[in-house]
Amino acid sequence: MLSDDELDRMLRDSDPAPDESPTDPDSPTAAGILARVRRSARQRRRRIMIMAPAVALTVAGVTAGTYAWVAGDGRGHTLDSTGLTCDGPQQGDAVVGFDPGTDDPVRTCRQQWQEMFGQPAPGTLTACVDSSRQGSIVVYAGGRDQCGRHRADPYLGPTREQLGLSLFRAGIKEHFAGRTCVPYSEFRKVVGQLLAKHDLTGWKSGHLQSAAKEPEGACAEISYYDEPEKTIWLGDHTAGDPLPWP
């Protein structure tokens, strides 16, 4: 399947409206589009697998440890604590929802492995933080050496801030349980209250917009958590539909 970096490249190379102002690939709009792609994949619990030949890099006398990379924050923590990739057999993988406050990545992938890949989970699985721009958590079959083989670092668990974000996500979902349309003003008010409650200092909310700067709709939803920028991006929600919770 497409990796996070490949999705980024597709987003950068795409121009659905060539006669209009192009969307900045590093803008919140672009990030939100990519987030919606990932969220849709998580809701399906499985991405479509694309078979691709494995490419091996062999350099005589040189190991993967010789090369340097930056994975996540460089200290074993992910930059995207809301998602998890289980790296399956034959270059297939699956993206599943993840809560660092309550879930263990290895256990999560092991529990769903049979359903996702049609075969029992391997005896050993290891959680790593990859060196993509997102710094995602990826669970590989095998031991800790798999992290280095994939230019990744062993995952060392959530940060204190990520645990706070986990509580925030649970709190806002509970607060709006059963609602199908929440005005932006109300959504922002509750976001601010819960950010303060869980000591998420420096976090803020923003409105996800295209270059056209459309006005806010009648209903809001959370589209994307940008952890490095400490921003919760809100987008328009269709009234009557259940609120999604990334």
Side-chain angles (χ1 to χ4, degrees):
M1 64 154 282
L2 298 177
S3 68
D4 285 341
D5 286 341
E6 287 169 331
L7 282 171
D8 283 339
R9 285 197 297 273
M10 287 180 64
L11 184 60
R12 290 172 183 276
D13 295 339
S14 297
D15 187 3
D19 296 328
E20 301 175 6
S21 299
T23 299
D24 180 356
D26 292 317
S27 70
T29 301
I33 294 170
L34 191 59
R36 284 188 173 130
V37 171
R38 296 193 189 109
R39 186 176 68 208
S40 176
R42 292 170 192 166
Q43 290 171 341
R44 291 195 303 270
R45 293 172 62 88
R46 182 176 181 177
R47 277 186 175 174
I48 297 174
M49 295 184 185
I50 299 177
M51 302 300 292
V55 179
L57 175 63
T58 305
V59 180
V62 181
T63 66
T66 304
Y67 302 97
W69 59 81
V70 177
D73 67 355
R75 297 184 294 276
H77 305 121
T78 179
L79 301 179
D80 175 16
S81 65
T82 65
L84 168 67
T85 299
C86 307
D87 187 74
Q90 290 82 48
Q91 289 72 55
D93 62 11
V95 177
V96 299
F98 182 70
D99 185 339
T102 59
D103 300 335
D104 174 79
V106 169
R107 183 172 61 249
T108 299
C109 287
R110 185 176 298 283
Q111 289 172 344
Q112 301 184 36
W113 198 274
Q114 178 75 49
E115 176 188 350
M116 295 186 296
F117 303 120
Q119 57 185 259
T124 302
L125 294 171
T126 300
C128 310
V129 180
D130 71 15
S131 53
S132 67
R133 185 169 62 177
Q134 293 74 33
S136 303
I137 308 173
V138 185
V139 170
Y140 296 104
R144 287 169 65 92
D145 63 305
Q146 292 300 313
C147 295
R149 288 176 180 271
H150 291 88
R151 296 175 60 83
D153 290 342
Y155 174 62
L156 299 182
T159 64
R160 181 175 179 180
E161 184 170 75
Q162 287 168 349
L163 291 176
L165 184 61
S166 170
L167 294 173
F168 172 93
R169 290 166 62 196
I172 200 163
K173 182 177 180 180
E174 179 181 5
H175 186 92
F176 291 128
R179 297 280 296 274
T180 59
C181 180
V182 180
Y184 273 87
S185 58
E186 182 182 355
F187 218 122
R188 285 196 182 92
K189 179 180 178 180
V190 175
V191 165
Q193 291 171 343
L194 290 175
L195 289 176
K197 178 179 178 180
H198 299 298
D199 297 322
L200 291 170
T201 304
W203 279 76
K204 61 186 181 296
S205 62
H207 178 211
L208 203 60
Q209 291 185 318
S210 71
K213 302 292 185 185
E214 301 96 335
E216 296 175 350
C219 312
E221 66 176 46
I222 294 178
S223 294
Y224 176 52
Y225 292 97
D226 187 337
E227 294 184 44
E229 296 299 324
K230 297 188 175 184
T231 302
I232 299 169
W233 290 105
L234 305 180
D236 288 350
H237 177 72
T238 301
D241 289 348
L243 284 169
W245 297 110

